[in-house]
Amino acid sequence: MITTLLKFSNQIKTQTIPSYKRFLYTHIDFKERLIGLMGARGTGKTTLLLQYLKEQTNTKETLYIIGDHPIVANQGIFAIADAFQKIGGKVLIIDEIHKVKDFEIALKLVYDSFFELQVIFTGSSAVALDHAKADLSRRAMMYTLPVLSFREYLELETPDIFPSYTLKEILENHTQIAIDILQKTKPLAYFDTYVNEGAYPFYKDGKGSYIPKLLTATMQVLSTDLPSIYAIEHDKINALKKMLIMICQSEPFDINISKLCGAVELNQKTLYKYMGILQSAGLIRILGAKSSGISIISKPEKLYLNNTNLFNIFCDTPKNGTIRETFFASALSYTHTLSYPKNGGDFMVDNTYTFEVGGRNKTKKQIKEIEKSFVVSDDMEIGTDNKIPLWLFGFLY
């Protein structure tokens, strides 16, 4: 058993791994014994863990396995971990752990039994860990890997390294930050390409293969991942696809729930349930009147695709306003909470700041009476006062 898995693992380790490390790599505390890395398909979770394996000096102490390997299905995680640690194993990496039944219980047993063994696992962002099964909340350090930020994309496309900035730093000092960045590169020369085909690291494999790979990854989420995790009948997958197409084609505020229910042939309760599932899977983003709580799902104000690259899959000609808002929501959602402002504007962030997103000539007219409000403008290199370039929000991580 272990011999076969070690051969598989050693072959994986010989593969050429990208040298560029995503921002999250330096944020992970690799001293922890149990680490979970969640995220949508294609964001680079496997690459990140293989980069970590490459840095381990004693390769005989490391083992990489995948959740749907026949031996994993037959023997189980605990038996594999037990056999591995008996031959001196120190680091066990389990990729796509969501494909293992009751993996939470197995992880708890491994954690509580083998104190010298580090376990790092990846899982689909659609997986909501069932802490009740094994109380993983106090055992595992969990991290989420989002799509590439615009800052990371620029680092991949240029020889330069760029710092990330907090939202507070951008709001208070965006003019100088933009000037500093412009001394290294011209962001707008890259922005449209990133928005269209640069959110997932596998874009580096070649422009001609990017959209087919993105389509494949997206369809795997819908047709394989979600039915295996949730009680979704396969005949309902087409309803999910129709829902995504309608979200793609509509202005964010034009979504009519009754019309959507009719188009996808689902009742409202089931529709809201599927919206929550699609959001957890990293395919859509729901904007509610409140930044947290069940009301987001029970009364969504706006619906977006998760990121702008997904427009390539679900519709031909998205509206410019929809693209801008989708980028803004994607850029801020990783580190901040977004909600729909009641008194004007497109977004409220952290229940504090109001943002109106538009083109270069967008003014503050609609939000001029609102405190802590800002205009976010596309096609602009440098902003002034409370008018900030849209691209700059791609530097939050």
Side-chain angles (χ1 to χ4, degrees), residues 12-31:
I12 294 293
K13 295 172 192 175
T14 62
Q15 295 180 357
T16 301
I17 307 299
S19 58
Y20 180 78
K21 290 185 173 69
R22 295 208 52 198
F23 79 99
L24 190 61
Y25 192 94
T26 57
H27 294 183
I28 296 175
D29 184 0
F30 284 110
K31 295 179 182 179

Side-chain angles (χ1 to χ4, degrees), residues 46-88:
T46 299
T47 296
L48 189 152
L49 295 191
L50 291 179
Q51 288 170 336
Y52 176 66
L53 279 186
K54 286 278 189 181
E55 293 188 351
Q56 307 310 302
T57 55
N58 190 341
T59 58
K60 293 182 180 180
E61 295 180 347
T62 62
L63 175 63
Y64 169 91
I65 63 177
I66 56 176
D68 57 356
H69 193 289
I71 292 178
V72 177
N74 184 49
Q75 298 293 325
I77 292 173
F78 182 84
I80 293 170
D82 183 29
F84 181 49
Q85 61 89 29
K86 284 178 179 176
I87 61 170

Side-chain angles (χ1 to χ4, degrees), residues 138-371:
R138 64 183 182 86
R139 290 176 170 84
M141 285 293 297
M142 300 299 300
Y143 299 89
T144 300
L145 188 64
V147 297
L148 280 174
S149 68
F150 182 49
R151 180 193 69 82
E152 291 177 300
Y153 179 78
L154 286 177
E155 289 189 338
L156 286 166
E157 290 296 299
T158 72
D160 297 304
I161 301 298
F162 301 91
S164 60
Y165 299 93
T166 66
L167 179 60
K168 187 173 185 292
E169 288 171 334
I170 290 176
L171 298 184
E172 294 179 354
N173 200 29
H174 63 87
T175 300
Q176 185 58 53
I177 291 173
I179 291 172
D180 292 342
I181 294 170
L182 284 163
Q183 289 177 349
K184 293 183 177 181
T185 192
K186 293 288 187 180
L188 291 182
Y190 298 89
F191 189 63
D192 285 346
T193 305
Y194 164 80
V195 164
N196 192 43
E197 298 181 8
Y200 296 85
F202 57 81
Y203 88 86
K204 294 292 288 183
D205 296 342
K207 186 174 181 179
S209 65
Y210 181 72
I211 293 178
K213 285 184 177 180
L214 180 58
L215 174 62
T216 298
T218 305
M219 292 305 106
Q220 284 179 328
V221 172
L222 289 170
S223 301
T224 305
D225 293 351
L226 294 185
S228 69
I229 297 168
Y230 298 95
I232 299 178
E233 298 174 5
H234 282 277
D235 63 349
K236 293 294 191 295
I237 300 302
N238 283 335
L240 298 180
K241 293 177 182 177
K242 288 179 182 178
M243 191 188 310
L244 288 162
I245 290 171
M246 288 193 67
I247 292 171
C248 187
Q249 293 175 337
S250 303
E251 292 278 8
F253 199 68
D254 288 344
I255 294 291
N256 182 300
I257 296 300
S258 297
K259 183 179 178 181
L260 188 55
C261 284
V264 301
E265 300 178 340
L266 296 173
N267 60 52
Q268 186 168 300
K269 182 179 179 181
T270 304
L271 178 72
Y272 286 160
K273 173 187 173 182
Y274 284 0
M275 282 182 186
I277 290 173
L278 288 174
Q279 177 167 254
S280 69
L283 292 177
I284 71 170
R285 195 176 312 280
I286 302 169
L287 200 69
K290 295 182 179 180
S291 60
S292 62
I294 194 171
S295 61
I296 292 179
I297 306 300
S298 61
K299 193 179 184 302
E301 297 289 344
K302 289 186 177 183
L303 298 174
Y304 299 93
L305 293 182
N306 176 271
N307 63 79
T308 55
N309 285 195
L310 292 175
F311 289 116
N312 289 299
I313 306 300
F314 296 110
C315 61
D316 295 326
T317 54
K319 295 178 172 57
N320 287 335
T322 304
I323 295 174
R324 294 173 187 134
E325 290 188 32
T326 300
F327 169 80
F328 184 85
S330 177
L332 272 83
S333 291
Y334 181 67
T335 51
H336 299 275
T337 58
L338 273 63
S339 57
Y340 182 70
K342 297 179 180 179
N343 300 318
D346 294 312
F347 298 94
M348 175 166 281
V349 177
D350 297 337
N351 292 322
T352 301
Y353 306 106
T354 300
F355 294 90
E356 177 78 14
V357 181
R360 182 183 182 90
N361 297 320
K362 191 72 175 181
T363 69
K364 203 181 177 184
K365 179 180 179 181
Q366 293 171 281
I367 54 173
K368 63 180 180 179
E369 302 299 329
I370 303 174
E371 292 185 9

